[in-house]
Every structure is written in C-alpha cells, then in structure tokens.
Amino acid sequence: MNGNAKESGFANHRVGEAALRGGANANTDDDGGNSAEADNEGYGPGPSDVIDDQEPRCRKGEFVRGTNGHGPGAHPVAGSVPADGPTLADYEGQSTATAAAAAAARPECSDEHGVDDNGDIILEGFVAEPTREEILDEAAERLIESSITLDPSAVRKIRDSDSDDDVRPSTSITECMGDSHAEDVTPNSNDVDVAQDDGGATISRWEEFRKTYFRSPFGIGVLTGLVVLAIVLAVSFGSNNSASSSICTGSASVAGDVNDRYTHAKSIVSKITPLDTLRNASSPQYEALQWIVCEDEISSKLIDEKDPSTNILPTQMHGFISGGDSGEAQVLRRYTLATFYFSTSSIDMPWIDKWNFLSPDVHECSWHQNITRENWPWGGFDPAGLVCTHPTRSSEGGFHEIMLNDRETYIGKVFWNFRISNNLSGTIPPEFGYLEDMNEITMENQKQMIGSIPSTIGNMVNLYSLSFQFFGPGFGGLIPSSLFSIPALEWITLYGHEGMFEFPPSIETTGVENKIAGVFIRFSGLAGTIPQFLSEFQNLLQIDFEGNSLQGDVPDSFAGLKYLDYLNLYDNNLNGTLPQSLGQIANLTGMTLGKNDFQGPIPSSLGNLSKLRLLDLSYNKLEGPIPATFSQLTSLEHVSLQHNAHLNGSVSAFEGLPLSNLLLYSNSFSSTIPAGLFSNSTHGNNIFADFGHNNFTGKIPEIFSEKASNTSYLSIMKNKFDADSVEDVICDEVQTLFADCNSCRCCQFCCAENSAEESSQTSDPCNFDLDFHTLSGLNMGSWWKVKWDA
C-alpha cells in the first residue's frame, strides 16, 4: 500500500518507502531487507522516546509534516526543538517525502525509528492545534469523500487524460471509499508527475493543485458547487434506479427480477394509463401496477418469460374468442380489474366480500362468487363478479356453462355481474373501458358509487349490453357520446338512480351501422331534450324515458325509426303538440305519452298505426274529439285518456275494437256509450272500463250485463246516465263497481249527487282514480306485453 497512514500512540505517521529511497541509505538486515520495527503500544515508549535520561536520537519536535489519513498535512507536534537538528520550521509546508528524506539522512534518526511491514517509517508525536488552512483542507477532503457515498452504482472511475498537463490521481473513487476511511488517497509515483521547485524539493502537481484551490475561497466555492452537483446527480440517478424496487413496499411475493418486471409492466399499462398517474402513489392505478409486479403470479410469469429479443410475452393457453390470446392482453385485463377494485374499495369503505378478486394464482375468470338465490338468468345461483362462459356448451338450465379458465378452450362470453350490493364506493376508473373482451355489464344497488360512466367505455368494442341500476345521488352526469358508438352495443339501461343524467349534445359518426336496439333510461333524473341523434339508430326497437325531467317536444325525426316497437315518454315535462309524424312509425305497438304537458288535438295520423296495442295519452292538456281514424286501430287493446279535461264528443271510434281496458276518467265526453264497446274483448275477465267524471248520457249498454262476470272494474259515477240504468246482474257479478245512486238502485254503495266533486282524496270512492299505468303493467316497462300475452 503506497502512502498509507497507520495510527500508533497519539499521532503516528508513516513516511513512504519510496521517499526514503531518495535520501540516505536505509538500514538493512543481514538478508538485505528493511528493518521493520513498529510501535503499536498506544502511549508507551517508542523508538523516538528518551531512554535512561540519555539524549534522544530523534527528539520530540522533529516530527515531519506530511500526508496522512487526516488531511493533506500532518499536524505539528509540541515540544522543544534542539539546536543541533532540524526544527519544525525547517519542514513547514514540505511534503512527507521531503521531510522523511531529511529525517532519514541524520545518522541518529536512520537506525532506530519504527518501520512497518512495507518499510514505511512511523514517527510519533503529540498533535498541536491545527491551523485554519489545515482545517479547511481536512473539511474539503471529507466533504468529497462523504458526497460520493450516496449510491455506489452512481459512481464511475475517472480515467486519466492523455494530456501530460492534465494530471489527476488514478485511484478510483470506489477504491478510496473502502472499509478503512483512515487510509490515504495519495497518488503513487506512477500516477503523478513531479517537478523540482527552486529549493530542490520534490513537489507533486497534485499537491500544488490542492494547495492552490483547496485553500482559497474561490476554490472552496467551486468545490462546493461541484459537490452539490454530484449529490443532485447521484440522488437523481439513484431515484431512477430505485423507483422500480420501491414499488414493492415489502418484499415481493413473486420471485424474479422485480426491476425488469416493473419496467416492462409499466410499458404495457402505460398504453391505457398516463405515466403521471402511474407515478402517483395514492392512485388506484399505482396500487394496481404494484399488485401486478409484486403479487400477481400470472402476470409476473408472463412478463418474466418474455422473449428477450422481441419483448413479446408468451400467449395465453387459449384466450378469448373476442380478445385473442396474447399475453399482454391478459396482463392489461388483470391490471384493469385490479384498478377497478382499488378505485371502488378503500380502507375506510372496503367491499363486503372480495368475490375472489385479486386472487394472484388463478385465472381472472375465477374472480366471482356463487350466491345461492332464485335469480334470472342464472337459475338457482348468482355468480357475483366476473363471469366467463363456454362458447357452445350449456348447463342443465339452458344457460351457457361457466368457465373458470381457458385451459380447455377459448372463453366464449364475459359478463360483469355486480347486481348484488357489495358496498362499492368511489368512481369507475377510465381503465374500465379497456376491458375489450366484455360482452355484458350489469351493476345494481351500489349506492356509494360516485362520478359518471367513463368516456373510455367506447373502447369496449364487444359490449352488447350495459345496465346500471339503483345507484346513489353521487352517480350520474353526462352520458358519454362514445357509448352510442360501440359497434356491438344493443341495449342501454339506466334505471332507478338518485342522481341526474344528461344526453351528450351529439355523437361521433363512425360509418359503421349501429346495432342499438333499446335505450331504457327510467327514473334517473334525465334532463334536457330528446336528442335528434336517436333517429340515426335505425335498428331501434324500444325507447323508454319514463319518470325523468325531459323538456321540449317529440322529435319529428322519430318517424324514420321504422323498427321502433315501443315508445314510452311517460312522466316528463314534455310539451307542445303531438306531431303528425308519430303516425308514420308503422311498427309501433305501444305508445305512452302520458303525464306530460302536451296540448292541442290528438293527431289523426295515429289511426295509421295498425299494430298499436297500447295507447296512453293521459294527464295532458289535449282537447277536441277522438279522431275517427281510431276505428282503424284493429290491434288496440289498452287505452287511457284520463285527465285531459277538454277531450269531448263521442267515443264511437272505439266500438268494435278488441279492447280490454278503456279509461276515460275526468274528461268532457258527452255521448252515449256505444253498444258494441268491448264486444270483441279477447282477455276474458280482464275488462276495465272507467267512464267516471264525464257527461255521458243514456243507459248502460247490454254488453256490460253480458260480460258482467268477466268485468273486473266498472266506473260510471258523476255522469248523466238514466235512472236505474244499472241492471241487477251488474251489481251482483262485477267485481268493483262505482256508480251514482240515482242510476244504480241495486248498488250497496253509490255516489250521491252532492258528493264532493272537488275531492282529491283517493280514499273517496266517488273520486277514485284507477291507475292505468300499474293496471296495464306499464310500471314494468316493456314487460307489459308479456303480462297481457300470458
């Protein structure tokens, strides 16, 4: 070791062997080797101490200044300086080599001072008070040493320049920062050029550099700047290198190169998640990436086994019919599912049951839990969570067989079955829209969810059904336009939400034929106007916007919906007149426009709807007579014109139609009841007839006596019928009968002429208002047809 210092006693310093060779001949033993005696006894006597009161050969005070482990020069020693020998001043400012050579030249100091195994002289003395310059030197060197110990991987060896003028020590920084920080970093004779000063002393250029710059304010400032820069670079480099390992807060449960896995996983998921989001340790996306890298055995295996030349991941066993079998697709799918979990489950509000989500060692098709209950469409159990089905094979109940993985064959369809309340909270993350294999989404009863449907939903190119029902007040907002551009989408359902929704002002035209068949947005605070773009969905079968806050009129463009079967706009704030264009929707079987603010006459064009089975125009401000064209409605079974007040004239247009329900309560009709009314009824004892609160005259037609046993409800109160017009058979066999006392002497209960006309109490039988909506099954939406066809 060259130029290294060892401590012996209070301040022992070594003089290099190379320096000794430049002075007087060293004392050698018989074998030609250097004498090597080392003083290592702490404060005990050494070779330079006074012995038996004799004059010491090397007096205290003749201690040289030179390089050691504590700075560029040794501290001076205390004690007297003999007149016949070199003094401290003689060696002041000189190098170790110079001072050592001078000391060795003295006969009395060349044979008894201590020498170590390398032939280096050990001198001993007591340290005196250091000078200001020495303190600065020592501080500067220590600062250099400590500043480059932040991260050994950030340190590289500095090579010497080819120029003879640029002389630097070749000892690498990592060598200098070994276990023993007491060792000198003195350049050896091969690395440092030397020059002769005017006094003939040997001075290294490194020493000159240190003296010049380490001791000046300018040099210290430059040095400090360089140190700060080194620290910044080291920390930055260290941060980049440690980012991947820090993502696993504990030890990763999956063996392998976590750093490489993190780098590649991040490159995959950054295709759907911005890098800034992935760096945010509080985001669900960061947690999901952390789970992929540190815990998910399946994703980790795929990433770790990637092709080293192409970085392509192994394929899945079979994959999905709609999404293929690439390994990257499976990593993205598991990452997206994990992101959804972390976004909707928190420490303060976790899921009630994880439904096997985030199971690291099983296929994601196993991430569900079978709940036993009678529930359509799965029969006696409900697999809550992510459900995958066989492409062809069906179970005993006729439903497609559930698959837990893709070992046997391709996954057929994928269902998001979240119909059971599971205390989900938070928002649906944008990554959810990248579950491109998804075929059906059903989420219900998640009252704590907030936010809106993400616009990325448009990426679910294989989705054919979306249903969100019974969410709390925090969920709603703008329905993304991308939803209406999904090429495979057929059914959209938003039902029973406490929040508010709104249609987008427009949608993108993709050039691909839209398959949307039904849009059901019921009781969900839907505001604004009915968008014109709905008319672009040429495959529309059903529109149901019941129980919302829609305003404006019914678009004329609906006339172009040639396949539209069911139009329900009941209970909104729509106004204006009913357009004649409604009569052009030739395939319409059910039209419910009740409980709005429509005015004017009933369009005569409605008589063209030969397939119409149900018509509800109740609770509006319509006026005038029933169009004669209604006699052409040969399929019409259920009619409600209740509470229009100013509808008048005859109801003969309904005669001969296959009616089961005719509710005319609270209007101004003034004719007799046609004799052929209900004569063609096809629904047995399901006749409901309400003529109450009008101006009908004459007798009750014989048809009601004939069909009394098949009549469930008959109301004739508050009219001008003839006295005793109700026959006894009607009183005996009609299940529910409301009539005036003067026209029904056989009634056990009747309405007197002075009964409260203005009463709004539904408990008053003389003002009873039959709920046609519930009666006809309209409260079940389009299921009314199933009810009446049964």
Side-chain angles (χ1 to χ4, degrees):
M1 298 175 62
N2 295 322
N4 293 326
K6 295 182 181 179
E7 295 185 1
S8 178
F10 197 66
N12 295 333
H13 300 268
R14 173 192 302 136
V15 178
E17 180 182 10
L20 289 177
R21 294 196 183 102
N25 294 333
N27 197 26
T28 60
D29 56 21
D30 294 339
D31 297 329
N34 292 332
S35 175
E37 294 182 0
D39 177 14
N40 56 5
E41 297 299 321
Y43 297 106
S48 61
D49 289 333
V50 178
I51 302 175
D52 296 332
D53 296 329
Q54 297 180 6
E55 186 72 7
R57 296 186 179 184
C58 290
R59 299 174 182 268
K60 293 180 180 178
E62 294 181 351
F63 186 65
V64 298
R65 298 177 61 85
T67 303
N68 58 54
H70 303 284
H75 301 160
V77 297
S80 60
V81 180
D84 58 348
T87 67
L88 176 64
D90 294 330
Y91 305 122
E92 184 72 36
Q94 298 188 23
S95 68
T96 301
T98 303
R106 294 185 59 201
E108 66 272 21
C109 296
S110 62
D111 57 352
E112 291 191 30
H113 47 64
V115 181
D116 68 4
D117 294 339
N118 294 324
D120 295 338
I121 296 175
I122 299 175
L123 302 179
E124 182 178 15
F126 294 91
V127 179
E129 192 70 26
T131 66
R132 177 179 178 276
E133 293 176 343
E134 290 168 337
I135 293 174
L136 291 176
D137 289 347
E138 182 175 344
E141 288 198 355
R142 289 183 178 176
L143 185 59
I144 292 175
E145 291 179 357
S146 63
S147 68
I148 314 180
T149 59
L150 295 174
D151 187 350
S153 65
V155 180
R156 63 179 179 84
K157 183 175 181 179
I158 302 176
R159 299 179 179 275
D160 290 342
S161 171
D162 294 336
S163 171
D164 292 337
D165 295 330
D166 186 11
V167 181
R168 290 166 296 182
S170 64
T171 306
S172 70
I173 295 176
T174 53
E175 292 172 351
C176 295
M177 304 312 297
D179 293 335
S180 176
H181 290 278
E183 295 179 350
D184 282 339
V185 194
T186 305
N188 59 37
S189 59
N190 296 325
D191 295 325
V192 182
D193 291 342
V194 293
Q196 297 289 330
D197 63 3
D198 294 339
T202 303
I203 304 175
S204 72
R205 292 185 180 180
W206 175 245
E207 292 291 335
E208 289 180 335
F209 177 82
R210 291 200 303 174
K211 291 178 182 178
T212 301
Y213 291 101
F214 285 8
R215 297 187 180 185
S216 68
F218 174 77
I220 294 299
V222 172
L223 178 63
T224 302
L226 292 174
V227 168
V228 171
L229 179 60
I231 293 173
V232 171
L233 291 175
V235 170
S236 176
F237 187 83
S239 297
N240 290 334
N241 278 332
S242 62
S244 57
S245 59
S246 65
I247 195 171
C248 298
T249 53
S251 59
S253 60
V254 183
D257 187 344
V258 175
N259 291 344
D260 180 72
R261 188 187 306 147
Y262 167 78
T263 300
H264 198 78
K266 185 172 68 172
S267 71
I268 293 175
V269 303
S270 63
K271 296 177 181 179
I272 63 174
T273 302
L275 287 174
D276 287 345
T277 304
L278 291 173
R279 295 189 188 106
N280 182 0
S282 63
S283 70
Q285 291 82 358
Y286 177 91
E287 291 184 88
L289 177 58
Q290 183 184 50
W291 179 80
I292 289 289
V293 173
C294 306
E295 299 181 46
D296 185 17
E297 297 178 15
I298 291 180
S299 295
S300 295
K301 186 175 187 295
L302 286 170
I303 295 172
D304 292 348
E305 294 180 358
K306 65 181 181 298
D307 187 312
S309 59
T310 64
N311 279 337
I312 296 177
L313 275 57
T315 60
Q316 305 168 53
M317 290 185 179
H318 286 90
F320 291 66
I321 284 181
S322 57
D325 62 353
S326 76
E328 183 173 303
Q330 186 171 22
V331 172
L332 273 175
R333 184 165 52 247
R334 293 173 75 86
Y335 163 76
T336 299
L337 294 171
T339 300
F340 180 88
Y341 174 81
F342 289 119
S343 182
T344 58
S345 179
S346 64
I347 296 177
D348 297 332
M349 193 173 292
W351 288 12
I352 297 174
D353 195 303
K354 289 186 70 172
W355 291 345
N356 294 320
F357 262 63
L358 304 191
S359 297
D361 58 345
V362 297
H363 194 278
E364 54 273 23
C365 284
S366 297
W367 290 6
H368 63 260
Q369 179 176 330
N370 292 333
I371 309 296
T372 302
R373 65 172 184 166
E374 289 298 327
N375 191 37
W376 185 88
W378 304 104
F381 72 97
D382 195 8
L386 184 72
V387 185
C388 305
T389 62
H390 196 278
T392 58
R393 201 159 57 219
S394 299
S395 61
E396 294 181 359
F399 308 111
H400 283 289
E401 182 179 299
I402 293 177
M403 297 179 64
L404 301 180
N405 53 60
D406 62 343
R407 292 175 186 171
E408 178 186 350
T409 186
Y410 291 99
I411 301 296
K413 293 183 179 180
V414 184
F415 300 87
W416 187 259
N417 187 32
F418 277 61
R419 291 187 294 163
I420 298 176
S421 177
N422 199 25
N423 201 40
L424 272 66
S425 61
T427 62
I428 300 174
E431 287 77 10
F432 184 73
Y434 291 96
L435 290 172
E436 297 181 3
D437 306 312
M438 195 67 65
N439 299 114
E440 181 176 324
I441 294 174
T442 304
M443 294 186 67
E444 300 178 9
N445 301 299
Q446 312 300 337
K447 295 289 188 179
Q448 305 303 321
M449 293 289 292
I450 60 175
S452 59
I453 301 171
S455 60
T456 55
I457 200 77
N459 293 294
M460 289 186 170
V461 294
N462 296 294
L463 186 69
Y464 66 77
S465 176
L466 178 141
S467 176
F468 291 96
Q469 302 186 38
F470 307 113
F471 279 43
F475 189 81
L478 189 70
I479 302 171
S481 61
S482 60
L483 176 66
F484 299 96
S485 300
I486 297 175
L489 190 63
E490 298 183 19
W491 307 101
I492 300 172
T493 301
L494 301 174
Y495 179 68
H497 295 281
E498 299 177 31
M500 297 186 66
F501 286 88
E502 185 178 351
F503 280 116
S506 62
I507 60 173
E508 297 181 4
T509 302
T510 62
V512 179
E513 184 180 5
N514 193 294
K515 294 183 179 180
I516 294 179
V519 182
F520 307 95
I521 306 177
R522 295 163 51 85
F523 303 102
S524 295
L526 183 63
T529 60
I530 299 174
Q532 293 286 339
F533 65 73
L534 289 177
S535 303
E536 300 176 18
F537 304 154
Q538 291 299 304
N539 293 304
L540 260 178
L541 298 176
Q542 298 181 7
I543 295 176
D544 189 343
F545 299 152
E546 180 182 341
N548 289 294
S549 301
L550 290 170
Q551 299 177 346
D553 54 15
V554 179
D556 280 326
S557 57
F558 276 8
L561 298 175
K562 58 184 178 180
Y563 297 116
L564 189 65
D565 173 72
Y566 179 62
L567 176 62
N568 182 8
L569 304 178
Y570 186 84
D571 193 11
N572 278 279
N573 298 319
L574 298 170
N575 52 35
T577 60
L578 295 177
Q580 291 286 347
S581 59
L582 288 174
Q584 300 177 37
I585 311 177
N587 205 51
L588 207 59
T589 61
M591 182 164 63
T592 304
L593 306 179
K595 218 167 185 178
N596 280 286
D597 197 26
F598 292 119
Q599 304 172 8
I602 298 174
S604 60
S605 63
L606 297 185
N608 298 324
L609 302 177
S610 60
K611 295 182 180 180
L612 193 66
R613 296 176 59 193
L614 182 146
L615 177 64
D616 181 7
L617 301 177
S618 62
Y619 294 93
N620 281 290
K621 296 178 181 178
L622 300 174
E623 58 188 31
I626 304 297
T629 57
F630 271 33
S631 62
Q632 304 170 21
L633 299 175
T634 55
S635 299
L636 192 61
E637 302 172 21
H638 317 286
V639 177
S640 176
L641 300 176
Q642 298 166 282
H643 293 278
N644 275 283
H646 299 295
L647 285 175
N648 55 44
S650 171
V651 294
S652 59
F654 294 119
E655 188 174 12
L657 300 181
L659 294 176
S660 294
N661 304 323
L662 179 62
L663 308 186
L664 305 175
Y665 184 94
S666 188
N667 279 288
S668 299
F669 295 112
S670 56
S671 66
T672 60
I673 297 176
L677 203 62
F678 293 103
S679 60
N680 292 324
S681 175
T682 58
H683 286 282
N685 62 352
N686 287 324
I687 293 177
F688 288 81
D690 190 347
F691 304 103
H693 291 259
N694 278 281
N695 295 312
F696 285 108
T697 60
K699 292 184 176 293
I700 303 300
E702 186 67 25
I703 189 67
F704 288 100
S705 298
E706 295 175 3
K707 292 183 176 284
S709 60
N710 296 325
T711 302
S712 297
Y713 182 89
L714 176 62
S715 172
I716 57 174
M717 60 192 175
K718 303 302 179 183
N719 279 283
K720 299 179 179 179
F721 288 111
D722 295 345
D724 299 329
S725 60
V726 178
E727 297 185 5
D728 291 346
V729 65
I730 295 177
C731 289
D732 294 338
E733 296 185 9
V734 172
Q735 294 181 21
T736 303
L737 175 63
F738 294 103
D740 294 331
C741 294
N742 71 320
S743 61
C744 184
R745 297 186 184 277
C746 62
C747 291
Q748 294 182 358
F749 173 84
C750 61
C751 299
E753 293 183 5
N754 60 355
S755 61
E757 294 279 354
E758 306 299 328
S759 175
S760 60
Q761 298 179 3
T762 58
S763 59
D764 182 358
C766 294
N767 291 281
F768 180 76
D769 192 4
L770 188 65
D771 185 0
F772 172 78
H773 205 62
T774 302
L775 171 69
S776 59
L778 286 171
N779 59 318
M780 299 175 64
S782 60
W783 285 99
W784 68 271
K785 292 193 297 182
V786 177
K787 174 182 173 70
W788 290 109
D789 287 341

